[in-house]
Amino acid sequence: MENLDWKNIGFGYRDSDYNVRCYYREGKWGELEISTSNQISIHIGATCLHYGQESFEGLKAYKGKDGKIRVFRIEDNALRMQASARGILMQELPVEIFKEAVFKTIKLNKHFVPPYESGASLYIRPLLIGTGPQIGVKPATEYLFMVFVMPVGPYFKEGFKPTDYVIYREYDRAAPLGTGNIKVGGNYAASMKAGVRAHNEGYSAVLYLDAREKKYLDECGPANFFGIKGNTYVTPKSESILPSITNKSLRQLALDMGMTVEERKVPVEELAEFSEAGACGTAAVLSPVRSVVDADLNKRYFYGDEPGPVCVKLYNKLIDIQYGCEPDPHGWVTIVE
Ligand SMILES: *Cc1c(COP(=O)(O)O)cnc(C)c1O
């Protein structure tokens, strides 16, 4: 591990030494099991393979200046995974098992938690899948929950530098009354075509519009969206947006900084009224938006080549709490003992 170039590891899959697994069989969750294998063996009829009974989470652990390892808002991730399970009829995992599995996986792999100075962190990926066989479209009776981890640098390789986003009206990532508000793999399968096209055309991600009317902003592929207008933090409200824990935290920090927060429908044309804009999620934390290109209307909303002052302030405040450099007035951080 000593020879890992922590600053330049990027955001990509990497093996660690251990992962933790927990099986739901015969109506109950079993004990946590530790594994050193990066493989799983499942039934060929498993519902995760055929009918997308799959949900995942993403959170991070950070090593502070004091050497302590902190995880951010873990309870929110546990609760969101339960909401995802309810949304696609998977067995819900108790919050306590979720937390215990995450803490155990971090501790087993603690030499993979990047040093404070690197600005890198440990990405934690909990996964819940239907493993029991069905050939008719029905929920599985057996499930596997697992947690694995890997060290990551910033999600966007440009780091904290504004990047470009694009609107295409010919793709939706989720239906209005579909599964956009839960964290399931199906939404990601549905977003790959547009996402890869956006990358090929030089954009960081797609900024999706509401699927019903194409009038309002939804979110970016893997991140929520916000704009700054005067002293107001504006973020879209929609039935098909994934409730981002990062966005929820930024809204609270904006309030703490004396800003107004609006969570409401945001018409596309309002992009012209923002002084700054950002994408937010665990992977990227906060990624300032340089421009949004409305590809269909041949329009470009420009916010600046450098991050705006509100984005900088919000970003620093959030990562300082995550790394334990600032007090944690809202109780967001748990120290891994
Ligand atoms: C996970 C995710 C986010 C970000 O959520 P965080 O809790 O902030 O990590 C945003 N949008 C989608 C579609 C997601 O899956």
Side-chain angles (χ1 to χ4, degrees):
M1 240 38 62
E2 289 68 35
N3 49 20
L4 254 184
D5 179 8
W6 298 107
K7 280 193 177 122
N8 296 306
I9 44 181
F11 193 94
Y13 179 83
R14 241 170 229 281
D15 278 325
S16 60
D17 288 343
Y18 301 97
N19 55 80
V20 169
R21 304 161 183 214
C22 185
Y23 293 90
Y24 181 86
R25 291 186 184 121
E26 290 167 359
K28 59 178 194 300
W29 287 103
E31 297 295 314
L32 295 184
E33 297 173 18
I34 298 170
S35 172
T36 55
S37 169
N38 60 9
Q39 307 283 312
I40 56 171
S41 173
I42 55 171
H43 197 290
I44 57 175
T47 59
C48 65
L49 299 176
H50 299 265
Y51 304 126
Q53 266 201 312
E54 186 276 350
S55 132
F56 67 95
E57 274 301 328
L59 65 162
K60 280 178 173 173
Y62 305 83
K63 189 174 280 172
K65 229 183 221 164
D66 56 7
K68 291 184 177 147
I69 299 172
R70 291 169 172 82
V71 286
F72 188 68
R73 304 195 81 166
I74 182 171
E75 183 125 350
D76 289 64
N77 292 94
L79 292 171
R80 189 168 67 188
M81 183 165 255
Q82 290 186 334
S84 298
R86 289 193 297 276
I88 55 172
L89 299 186
M90 296 197 291
Q91 187 61 41
E92 275 182 55
L93 181 82
V95 170
E96 278 318 306
I97 299 182
F98 183 99
K99 286 175 152 178
E100 197 190 333
V102 168
F103 291 138
K104 199 176 195 112
T105 315
I106 296 169
K107 282 188 265 188
L108 286 164
N109 294 291
K110 62 176 186 300
H111 45 292
F112 285 93
V113 185
Y116 170 73
E117 301 74 33
S118 65
S121 56
L122 187 75
Y123 185 72
I124 303 158
R125 171 53 59 90
L127 184 70
L128 176 63
I129 58 176
T131 48
Q134 296 288 7
I135 206 67
V137 182
K138 273 183 291 208
T141 55
E142 295 189 351
Y143 292 86
L144 165 60
F145 169 69
M146 61 183 300
V147 180
F148 57 91
V149 297
M150 69 209 69
V152 294
Y155 183 75
F156 294 105
K157 59 180 179 303
E158 296 85 1
F160 195 66
K161 249 195 101 184
T163 58
D164 304 309
Y165 290 70
V166 64
I167 294 171
Y168 304 124
R169 280 171 191 70
E170 67 212 82
Y171 311 97
D172 295 319
R173 70 171 270 285
L177 300 175
T179 53
N181 59 347
I182 54 175
K183 208 167 177 75
V184 296
N187 297 335
Y188 280 81
S191 73
M192 278 197 195
K193 208 170 156 185
V196 168
R197 176 173 162 198
H199 283 154
N200 290 341
E201 294 179 0
Y203 303 104
S204 278
V206 178
L207 175 54
Y208 287 94
L209 301 185
D210 78 286
R212 199 190 295 273
E213 297 184 86
K214 307 269 177 192
K215 275 190 185 162
Y216 304 100
L217 304 180
D218 248 11
E219 64 172 320
C220 307
N224 278 186
F225 180 85
F226 67 86
I228 304 297
K229 191 171 168 178
N231 196 36
T232 304
Y233 179 103
V234 183
T235 192
K237 191 183 181 82
S238 152
E239 61 215 324
S240 47
I241 288 181
L242 195 280
S244 154
I245 297 163
T246 313
N247 191 358
K248 187 163 121 182
S249 308
L250 292 174
R251 293 199 297 273
Q252 182 61 54
L253 295 177
L255 288 173
D256 294 352
M257 284 161 33
M259 296 179 71
T260 307
V261 170
E262 290 175 5
E263 205 186 344
R264 57 166 167 81
K265 286 189 171 182
V266 181
V268 190
E269 307 76 55
E270 200 174 337
L271 285 170
E273 295 170 32
F274 297 139
S275 56
E276 301 177 34
C280 58
T282 296
V285 187
L286 189 166
S287 183
V289 174
R290 176 166 58 197
S291 73
V292 176
V293 171
D294 191 330
D296 308 307
L297 305 184
N298 221 344
K299 250 174 131 159
R300 183 167 187 249
Y301 303 94
F302 182 75
Y303 302 107
D305 290 318
E306 294 302 322
V310 180
C311 281
V312 170
K313 215 168 143 187
L314 284 169
Y315 175 79
N316 285 330
K317 188 87 192 167
L318 183 57
I319 65 162
D320 283 351
I321 294 173
Q322 290 171 333
Y323 282 96
C325 305
E326 279 247 1
D328 171 30
H330 304 289
W332 289 341
V333 160
T334 311
I335 293 175
V336 182
E337 301 294 352

